[in-house]
């Protein structure tokens, strides 16, 4: 079976690794950039994603890049604690939560793809057309390469993991327009600071108007400091385009948080000390009614870009990749791909649509907004404003929607499956469809 993956980001690479683990090797990954530079800042891989990466045999290498947070804690803009909960193995999961640098993760995944599949990555390939194929005909992806030449890649399966600005999606939904701005501007960066709290806590402070997030990206350095990833967020800003690499000056952004000096973390000093500061709008995309057309489908941000509330983008792309590979492996042959894609979409599209709704309602971060609405000047006891049951209910609802409620995750069957030798041979015979 011939497979084409459009996009060499986290979702595209994990899709390639998942399909290889399921027994498929005739895979090409086509990427529009001319080099993979490993850009970005931090991300979190939640236990349901780390379970999948563990079954792929890559979690240990990813864990070497980052750190396991043990606690997630929410605070108001005065630095008062609202809610905290253990995370990963500290919460009893069999799998950790991992905080890693997005760029370093992308480079590692690239290396793993090359180790397992060889020279399958095609750089400088910009998707310009996509013929979906049908039960009898392969899909055909057309790319523009250097010099304006056009190259066609045919596949029994074409997976479009080409991000929030997905060309594949725009070809199917030409009237959709660009990503939807939620009215907030984000500033993301990394900084070396003294450890805060217990050194393993991911914190979120603020409310729907202004927020600060920080978490460690590694163990303490020789001088005792830790590298943290942070996100500063404020309503407004007027940024129009989602350019993830737009650098800005630190001082004006630090000044926006001038009063956020807590006895456990100096927020403006962290921003002012950023190694670099990137600005972009808080954007997502509306849920769409269909991902799959013929032998093509969408995956990751191309299918369901959502706000980072809940730290779930990379994890959901991982679940997409593993679910897709599972159904394709069960189908076994090129003839079974349309049915496999229908099963993949049935599993993943409703779940991600629900999660997108929750992220627009600030997801588990809703506890901060409730504290702001009910006690804007702070509180002596948070339970005077929000009951323990309400706090626990918000956290549990999001875990269920995202797929990592502890009991449900432990009970879910594995998504790992490998085709038999007979199925592999049948697939090769069947791939003669033109």
């Amino acid at each position: 079976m011939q497979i084409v993956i459009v996009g060499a980001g986290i979702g595209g690479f994990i899709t390639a690794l998942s399909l290889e683990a399921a027994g498929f090797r005739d895979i090409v990954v086509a990427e529009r950039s001319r080099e993979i530079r490993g850009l970005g800042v931090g991300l979190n891989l939640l236990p349901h994603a780390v379970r999948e990466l563990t079954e792929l045999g890559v979690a240990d290498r990813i864990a070497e890049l980052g750190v396991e947070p043990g606690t997630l804690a929410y605070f108001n803009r005065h630095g008062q604690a609202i809610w905290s909960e253990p995370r990963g193995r500290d919460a009893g999961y069999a799998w950790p939560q991992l905080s890693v640098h997005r760029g370093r993760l992308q480079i590692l995944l690239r290396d793993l793809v090359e180790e397992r599949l060889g020279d399958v990555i095609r750089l400088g390939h910009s998707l310009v057309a996509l013929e979906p194929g049908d039960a009898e005909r392969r899909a055909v992806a057309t790319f523009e390469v250097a010099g304006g030449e056009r190259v066609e890649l045919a596949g029994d399966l074409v997976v479009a993991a080409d991000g929030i600005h997905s060309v594949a999606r725009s070809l199917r939904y030409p009237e959709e327009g660009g990503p939807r701005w939620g009215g907030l501007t984000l500033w993301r960066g990394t900084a070396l600071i003294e450890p805060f709290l217990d050194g393993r806590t991911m914190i979120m402070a603020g409310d729907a108007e202004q927020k600060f997030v920080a978490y460690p990206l590694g163990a303490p350095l020789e001088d005792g400091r830790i590298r943290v990833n942070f996100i500063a967020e404020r309503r407004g800003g007027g940024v129009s385009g989602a350019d993830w690499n737009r650098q800005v000056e630190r001082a004006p952004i630090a000044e926006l948080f001038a009063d956020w000096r807590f006895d456990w973390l100096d927020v403006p000093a962290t921003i002012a000390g950023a190694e670099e500061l990137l600005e972009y709008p808080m954007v997502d995309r509306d849920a769409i009614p269909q991902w799959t057309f013929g032998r093509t489908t969408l995956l990751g941000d191309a299918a369901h870009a959502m706000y980072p509330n809940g730290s779930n983008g990379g994890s959901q792309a991982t679940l997409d990749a593993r679910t897709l590979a599972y159904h394709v492996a069960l189908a076994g042959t090129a003839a079974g791909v349309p049915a496999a894609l229908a099963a993949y979409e049935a599993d993943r599209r409703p779940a991600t649509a629900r999660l997108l709704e929750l992220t627009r309602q600030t997801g588990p971060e809703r506890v901060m907004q409730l504290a702001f609405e009910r006690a804007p000047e702070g509180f002596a006891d948070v339970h005077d404003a929000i009951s323990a049951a309400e706090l626990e209910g918000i956290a549990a609802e999001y875990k269920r929607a995202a797929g990592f409620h502890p009991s449900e995750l432990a009970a879910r069957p594995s998504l790992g499956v490998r085709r038999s030798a007979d199925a592999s041979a049948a697939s090769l015979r069947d791939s003669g469809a033109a």
Side-chain angles (χ1 to χ4, degrees):
M1 188 186 302
Q2 294 177 319
I3 300 169
V4 178
I5 299 170
V6 183
I10 291 168
F13 282 145
I14 294 177
T15 300
L17 292 169
S18 297
L19 288 164
E20 187 277 335
F24 302 98
R25 297 195 57 82
D26 194 351
I27 299 171
V28 172
V29 180
E31 165 60 36
R32 65 184 174 189
S33 299
R34 297 186 183 277
E35 62 177 322
I36 296 173
R37 294 183 290 164
L39 300 174
V41 282
L43 62 75
N44 276 274
L45 296 167
L46 302 180
H48 54 334
V50 179
R51 171 183 176 175
E52 302 308 324
L53 297 168
T54 300
E55 294 185 3
L56 276 177
V58 302
D60 287 347
R61 289 181 64 176
I62 293 173
E64 293 173 359
L65 301 179
V67 66
E68 287 188 37
T71 304
L72 171 62
Y74 297 96
F75 299 82
N76 63 13
R77 61 171 58 204
H78 308 293
Q80 295 176 302
I82 300 169
W83 165 257
S84 69
E85 60 184 58
R87 300 295 274 191
R89 287 192 281 216
D90 288 54
Y93 289 96
W95 308 275
Q97 177 173 326
L98 296 175
S99 300
V100 300
H101 187 280
R102 181 185 297 270
R104 295 181 67 196
L105 174 61
Q106 185 184 13
I107 295 296
L108 172 61
L109 293 173
R110 178 203 64 188
D111 294 346
L112 288 165
V113 167
E114 291 177 341
E115 288 173 17
R116 296 185 178 189
L117 284 165
D119 183 21
V120 301
I121 301 170
R122 304 288 178 263
L123 300 176
H125 280 55
S126 297
L127 183 69
V128 293
L130 185 56
E131 172 57 46
D134 55 31
E136 302 299 327
R137 295 175 297 128
R138 289 178 178 155
V140 179
T142 302
F143 300 89
E144 186 173 287
V145 297
E149 180 185 356
R150 294 204 168 187
V151 173
E152 291 185 349
L153 295 176
D156 299 299
L157 167 62
V158 176
V159 182
D162 52 342
I164 193 170
H165 295 295
S166 169
V167 172
R169 178 170 171 146
S170 70
L171 291 170
R172 298 289 166 246
Y173 296 92
E175 305 302 318
E176 183 181 25
R180 175 184 179 276
W181 184 41
L184 294 161
T185 298
L186 308 181
W187 297 275
R188 301 192 68 159
T190 59
L192 292 172
I193 66 172
E194 295 298 319
F196 57 88
L197 301 177
D198 65 354
R200 294 182 59 229
T201 294
M202 177 178 184
I203 67 99
M204 300 186 182
D207 45 67
E209 297 300 309
Q210 190 165 343
K211 185 176 72 178
F212 187 80
V213 178
Y215 52 86
L217 284 175
L221 303 177
E222 289 184 2
D223 63 3
R225 293 183 299 169
I226 55 172
R227 176 168 280 108
V228 296
N229 179 79
F230 70 82
I231 306 168
E233 174 184 311
R234 186 166 180 169
R235 190 163 300 281
V239 182
S240 59
D243 178 0
W244 313 124
N245 302 306
R246 170 184 159 86
Q247 295 196 34
V248 297
E249 293 297 321
R250 303 157 183 76
I253 312 309
E255 183 60 28
L256 296 176
F257 290 80
D259 297 332
W260 293 44
R261 288 186 167 89
F262 312 141
D263 57 9
W264 48 272
L265 179 65
D266 188 328
V267 172
T270 301
I271 298 172
E275 294 167 303
E276 67 175 353
L277 195 61
L278 307 176
E279 176 184 83
Y280 53 87
M282 170 90 90
V283 294
D284 68 0
R285 284 195 177 274
D286 291 333
I288 50 177
Q290 185 176 347
W291 295 356
T292 298
F293 299 85
R295 292 177 173 274
T296 71
T297 197
L298 303 175
L299 183 144
D301 280 353
H304 50 68
M306 59 187 69
Y307 297 157
N309 301 331
S311 307
N312 229 311
S315 295
Q316 293 302 314
T318 301
L319 290 177
D320 287 353
R322 290 282 285 166
T323 304
L324 174 67
Y326 172 81
H327 286 297
V328 173
L330 287 183
T333 68
V337 166
L341 294 184
Y344 156 70
E345 183 169 333
D347 277 354
R348 296 297 299 149
R349 187 168 57 81
T352 55
R354 172 58 179 152
L355 192 58
L356 189 149
E357 286 181 17
L358 286 176
T359 60
R360 287 181 174 178
Q361 299 165 20
T362 67
E365 297 168 26
R366 187 152 53 100
V367 298
M368 297 190 296
Q369 184 60 18
L370 290 178
F372 177 68
E373 292 171 357
R374 298 176 187 178
E377 302 305 319
F379 43 75
D381 185 334
V382 66
H383 295 140
D384 293 337
I386 316 172
S387 71
E390 190 172 8
L391 291 167
E392 291 167 1
I394 291 168
E397 179 189 20
Y398 186 78
K399 290 185 179 72
R400 286 195 173 93
F404 70 106
H405 189 276
S407 60
E408 294 172 12
L409 178 59
R412 178 175 63 73
S414 172
L415 291 173
V417 60
R418 191 172 185 92
R419 299 176 304 157
S420 68
D422 289 344
S424 298
S427 177
L428 289 172
R429 291 195 301 272
D430 192 50
S431 66

